Amino acid sequence: ACAGTLDLVAWPDSLTFNVDLSPSPVYEDGPGEGVVGSGLCVVDRPFDIAHDAAIDPEVFTVECWVKIPESLADGRHGWLLCKNSNEWQDGNFGFELRSESVIATLNIGGGRENQRLLNGRQKLLPDAWHHLALSYDGKTARFFVDGNPPEAAVVDRKRVPGKGLLRVGKRA
């Protein structure tokens, strides 16, 4: 696929075309470009990682790099990464794309009333890599976007790790 522009100039007895083309990547599920080396491209089919206690400790930091192609950036909503079912499930955590920004979610205790949403307060520019990190130290949840000072929420509760899968690209 290509992206480009076409300029047409017409004069009596003459027609001129000016074409400016550049390759436009086709995004599809599977191996893709990473920040350095290979990455995983998720467009339609989520990527699941089975539960393992090693990836769901009581205190944790989860991080990922994300690049939203400009062709897919307009008004998108959905989960980038989700562990343990959904945002009302005890032990849930993840990153959710909401239009041009991203939020981190963490649930300790189960139910809607124990869900914490942390807003990255930063627009994610299309076709640029962004680093997301959510940490919980047993007291405070912190959400970093591109290393900027974190959005934080004091929870001060023991987190009970879940047993659900880790899903990239959709709610688990």
Side-chain angles (χ1 to χ4, degrees), residues 12 15 24 45 48 52 71 74 124 135 148 154 158 163-164 172:
L15 185 60
S24 178
R45 291 188 317 266
D48 292 345
D52 184 320
S71 61
D74 291 335
L124 296 185
S135 68
N148 289 316
V154 175
K158 180 179 178 178
K163 298 199 183 303

Side-chain angles (χ1 to χ4, degrees), residues 40-60:
L40 175 67
C41 184
V42 177
V43 177
D44 294 314
R45 291 188 317 266
F47 183 79
D48 292 345
I49 301 168
H51 171 73
D52 184 320
I55 63 169
D56 199 357
E58 186 179 319
V59 297
F60 69 92

Side-chain angles (χ1 to χ4, degrees), residues 105-156:
T105 184
L106 174 69
N107 192 310
I108 298 179
R112 186 178 196 166
E113 66 279 4
N114 289 308
Q115 177 190 20
R116 304 294 191 276
L117 298 175
L118 295 98
N119 188 330
R121 301 184 193 279
Q122 179 178 333
K123 181 178 178 179
L124 296 185
L125 300 174
D127 287 330
W129 285 103
H130 298 280
H131 184 253
L132 310 176
L134 170 65
S135 68
Y136 184 65
D137 62 8
K139 181 175 180 171
T140 304
R142 292 177 178 85
F143 178 40
F144 299 82
V145 177
D146 293 332
N148 289 316
E151 170 81 9
V154 175
V155 181
D156 204 18

Side-chain angles (χ1 to χ4, degrees), residues 16-115:
T16 303
F17 295 96
N18 291 315
V19 179
D20 181 16
L21 293 176
S22 61
S24 178
V26 175
Y27 294 98
E28 55 187 37
D29 295 305
E33 166 196 9
V35 176
V36 175
S38 297
L40 175 67
C41 184
V42 177
V43 177
D44 294 314
R45 291 188 317 266
F47 183 79
D48 292 345
I49 301 168
H51 171 73
D52 184 320
I55 63 169
D56 199 357
E58 186 179 319
V59 297
F60 69 92
T61 297
V62 60
E63 62 180 311
C64 70
W65 285 91
V66 62
K67 179 181 177 184
I68 310 295
E70 188 168 356
S71 61
L72 301 175
D74 291 335
R76 293 292 177 154
H77 295 269
W79 287 84
L80 300 170
L81 179 143
C82 183
K83 177 77 170 91
N84 298 320
S85 189
N86 66 69
E87 59 273 28
W88 295 356
Q89 178 71 39
D90 191 15
N92 170 266
F93 62 84
F95 302 120
E96 186 180 353
L97 185 63
R98 293 202 177 168
S99 204
E100 296 176 335
S101 64
V102 66
I103 62 166
T105 184
L106 174 69
N107 192 310
I108 298 179
R112 186 178 196 166
E113 66 279 4
N114 289 308
Q115 177 190 20

